[in-house]
Amino acid sequence: MISSPTLHVISTELTIGMFALSGVAFLLCLLQKGPLSREAVAHWALLGGLLATPFAILTGIDSAPGDGIDNPLLANKVLLSMTSAGLAIGVLVRRKWGGEADIRHACTGMISVGLMLTTAGMGGEYSRNETLLFFVPKETVLIFPIWASILLIILGIVIIAKSAIQHRVS
Amino acid sequence: MRIRVGIVLLLMLLSATISTANPGGKGDDIRSRDCAGSCHASSSSNGVSSANLSIELPDEIYAGLLMEIITSVRGVDVSSNNLVGMALLINSDGAKDLPANDGWEVITDPNGGVNNYVEISDSFSSQTSVNRSWTLRAPSSPGSYELYLAVQHGSQEGGIAMSGISDSVEVQVLTVPENLPQLSPEWKPINSRLIGEETTITLETMNTESATVELKNGAEISIISVTDGKFTIPAAVNPGTVEWRVILEGEGPTQTSPWFRLTAQLPGWSVDETSLYVQGFALFLLGASLVMIQRPKEEIIDKKYDNTNQVIAVEASIPELTFTQTSEIVTEATPIPPEGLPEGWTMEQWNYYGHEHLKSLEGGAV
């Protein structure tokens, strides 16, 4: 058997590896360089990274010392990873609906990948107190009032529903 | 060009140093000595520490009662961060060596926790001795036990992890005399508190008629009265540690407890987790929706998947032909020879291939 931290390392490397591959492929899409398979690689790697993300989160929670979120790094990891996952799902759904990997699409994919890699970097800082992202203000957490978050949820649901209906009509 | 890149990569690889230690430590925890993979890459790759290690015991140790030991690390140069990992163990085998395996309980470790492995940052050097105090509860069974102090640290040159362990220290655990004033076996001290809060501690004693608490703050020792088994330690204004001990009097010989440490800490960082998770979900939905709202333009979809316009255009360019017109064209193109259709030919075949047959006749071939 292996310990939770080791399992977390495995799942994290799986997740980050796929996200990193997706990021490189999206960069090629942005530059319009490289093989034609770059679009397929970007989106399939992004999907793979998304599927591995829950395992990384669950093993991370299991292996973290202490109870609950008692460090601003952990709070920022939650917010960044959720934002990244949302953007990634949006990119994949847009692709499924027939969107081309144009500049805006590729940039969004790269932002999603960047946020997830930042999340992983913060995990390294949390466990080993070492990071290359020393310039990122990770100790500051922006927490909305709960009513504002609910408002954002409603707004998100309305936008998604509107987009889905328009897609069906067209 | 490739050769130059290869040379640069080779130089980078050769310039790398091989390090097997975790320079920043791994944090206090309950650890066996052979913590390969978590503390160091492999115990076989460690160097031997030159540290002089010792454990100082109290004169009398009673089964199940609290006691204090002092561990010393002397005469060792460590890495630049002056960090040494110290572990209290019961054997040197590297397995089943946790104090709990013999019934020892770490009540307060040198850092105010309850771990057998702690990381100490201090002025370690070949000329200094660094002492640390541990409060333990002795095993509940009298007898002879062993304790070891193990250390692991970096080296001044870097690149290799050093590991060392003391000689065995024999501990005789005695049977508790009758009527010995003592703290209850179930009682445990408080190790930490927040700054600005008074701390009221309730003592649970046995065979005790009166108790007096001594509070040590720096070099100053003050007496605190105990009422109904309770006493209060004043609030701390700064982060730091105060030590206290209790003197128990009764029919048996007077007992003095080990020094207990109470560490005052700044309030830890906290967040409303409900707000955090709701906001995380909101950001997830918002991120997805903002991308999905950028629907692909319809003309792009038409261009990729809808070929209706192209099909209509092609159909429009084809002239409408009637059966009669077609027959005329075919008849004009290939007149039937006077001798009639070749043997075995049908009219349909003649319409399609008759002109080739005529050409072959003109060429002299049949």
Side-chain angles (χ1 to χ4, degrees), chain B residues 51-92:
Chain B
N52 191 347
L53 307 172
S54 64
I55 302 175
E56 185 182 328
L57 303 172
D59 295 335
E60 294 175 334
I61 299 171
Y62 294 112
L65 299 190
L66 299 177
M67 54 174 282
E68 183 180 32
I69 65 170
I70 307 292
T71 57
S72 298
V73 178
R74 291 188 298 274
V76 62
D77 289 316
V78 301
S79 58
S80 58
N81 59 12
N82 281 322
L83 193 68
V84 169
M86 298 168 52
L88 202 60
L89 306 170
I90 60 167
N91 66 47
S92 58

Side-chain angles (χ1 to χ4, degrees), chain B residues 4 11 34 49 72 77 97 145 150 201 226 237 264:
Chain B
R4 286 178 187 171
L11 287 175
D34 192 10
S49 171
S72 298
D77 289 316
D97 54 2
Y145 295 86
I201 295 175
V226 179
V237 292

Side-chain angles (χ1 to χ4, degrees), chain B residues 283-303:
Chain B
L283 291 173
F284 171 81
L285 274 181
L286 196 65
S289 62
L290 288 179
V291 181
M292 288 160 66
I293 201 172
Q294 302 167 15
R295 293 175 56 254
K297 294 175 183 176
E298 290 182 7
E299 55 265 33
I300 295 174
I301 298 176
D302 292 345
K303 188 174 69 179

Side-chain angles (χ1 to χ4, degrees), chain A residues 68-72 75 78-79 82-83 85-87 89-91 93-94 97-100 104 108 141-144 146 149 152-153 155-157 159-160 163 166-167 170, chain B residues 22-26 268-298 300-301 303-305:
Chain A
I69 295 177
D70 55 2
N71 190 307
V78 170
L79 298 179
M82 293 296 278
T83 309
L87 289 175
I89 286 182
V91 165
V93 170
R94 185 174 181 273
W97 285 353
E100 284 193 338
R104 191 162 54 179
T108 310
V141 186
L142 298 174
I143 300 290
F144 300 155
I146 201 160
S149 297
L152 285 180
I153 290 174
L155 183 65
I157 292 173
I159 293 174
I160 289 174
S163 302
Q166 284 181 347
H167 177 73
S170 63
Chain B
N22 289 297
K26 290 291 290 182
W269 189 86
S270 64
V271 65
D272 181 358
E273 292 191 15
T274 305
S275 295
L276 180 69
Y277 286 126
V278 172
Q279 182 176 336
F281 185 64
L283 291 173
F284 171 81
L285 274 181
L286 196 65
S289 62
L290 288 179
V291 181
M292 288 160 66
I293 201 172
Q294 302 167 15
R295 293 175 56 254
K297 294 175 183 176
E298 290 182 7
I300 295 174
I301 298 176
K303 188 174 69 179
K304 289 189 67 172
Y305 303 113

Side-chain angles (χ1 to χ4, degrees), chain A residues 7-23 44-60 77 81 84-85 88 112-117 119-120:
Chain A
L7 195 60
H8 179 58
V9 168
I10 294 170
S11 56
T12 303
E13 287 180 354
L14 192 66
T15 305
I16 295 308
M18 285 200 253
F19 266 96
L21 174 64
S22 174
W44 281 107
L46 193 63
L47 179 62
L50 263 182
L51 292 177
T53 300
F55 295 103
I57 292 174
L58 291 176
T59 54
K77 274 167 70 75
S81 60
S84 170
S112 172
V113 170
L115 291 177
M116 195 58 84
L117 295 185
T119 304

